[in-house]
């Protein structure tokens, strides 16, 4: 099983980025997908999750109304559209899948390698 996260980069505050998480050897329609992030010196933080139904979502308060998660079943890929980025969004972003519906990172089974997002002020 492999989750390949991509799309990170350097962007100015107020800008946008779209992250992608492509899965191989598993169908994302059978898992819930979560995005987490970890800033330097901080713990891994929940960002958003998408239910295996592809419809139900749950956003952390810090990203609500700015980030949008979506899934392309044909490409077996989940996207995280990040708008109105702030310097405090700077972190390594990880995608992960779970058979549960949870925000807890230790209940996620497979993780991507992470992609760095840097937002300059």
């Amino acid at each position: 099983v492999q989750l390949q996260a991509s799309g990170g980069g350097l962007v100015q505050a107020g800008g946008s980025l779209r992250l992608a998480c492509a899965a191989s050897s598993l169908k994302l329609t059978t898992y819930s997908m979560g995005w987490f992030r970890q800033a330097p010196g901080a713990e891994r933080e929940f960002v958003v999750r998408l239910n295996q139904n592809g419809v139900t979502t749950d956003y952390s308060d810090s990203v609500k109304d700015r980030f949008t998660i979506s899934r392309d079943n044909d490409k077996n890929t989940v996207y995280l559209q990040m708008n109105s980025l702030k310097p405090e969004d700077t972190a390594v972003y990880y995608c992960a899948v779970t058979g549960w519906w949870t925000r807890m990172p230790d209940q996620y089974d497979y993780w991507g390698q992470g992609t760095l997002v840097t937002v300059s002020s």
Side-chain angles (χ1 to χ4, degrees):
V1 174
Q2 185 175 11
L3 297 176
Q4 183 70 40
S6 62
L10 174 63
V11 64
Q12 287 190 330
S16 299
L17 282 174
R18 189 177 78 155
L19 306 184
C21 182
S24 59
S25 303
L26 63 84
K27 285 194 171 185
L28 291 178
T29 53
T30 62
Y31 288 87
S32 292
M33 164 74 75
W35 283 96
F36 296 81
R37 66 187 182 186
Q38 189 166 18
E43 293 188 355
R44 194 164 294 191
E45 173 191 19
F46 166 78
V47 176
V48 61
R49 55 181 168 154
L50 175 67
N51 191 276
Q52 66 181 62
N53 63 21
V55 176
T56 305
T57 58
D58 174 32
Y59 293 86
S60 68
D61 288 344
S62 61
V63 306
K64 195 175 296 183
D65 299 326
R66 297 189 299 122
F67 290 11
T68 303
I69 191 170
S70 62
R71 188 175 72 199
D72 185 325
N73 293 336
D74 291 337
K75 295 183 178 179
N76 207 30
T77 299
V78 169
Y79 300 97
L80 181 62
Q81 179 67 42
M82 306 187 296
N83 298 329
S84 302
L85 283 162
K86 305 174 181 180
E88 52 263 44
D89 294 317
T90 295
V92 177
Y93 284 71
Y94 299 89
C95 57
V97 294
T98 177
W100 303 92
W101 180 238
T102 178
R103 288 187 170 196
M104 302 302 294
D106 60 359
Q107 294 183 358
Y108 281 72
D109 302 305
Y110 303 105
W111 290 80
Q113 84 286 5
T115 185
L116 176 62
V117 172
T118 304
V119 184
S120 63
S121 57

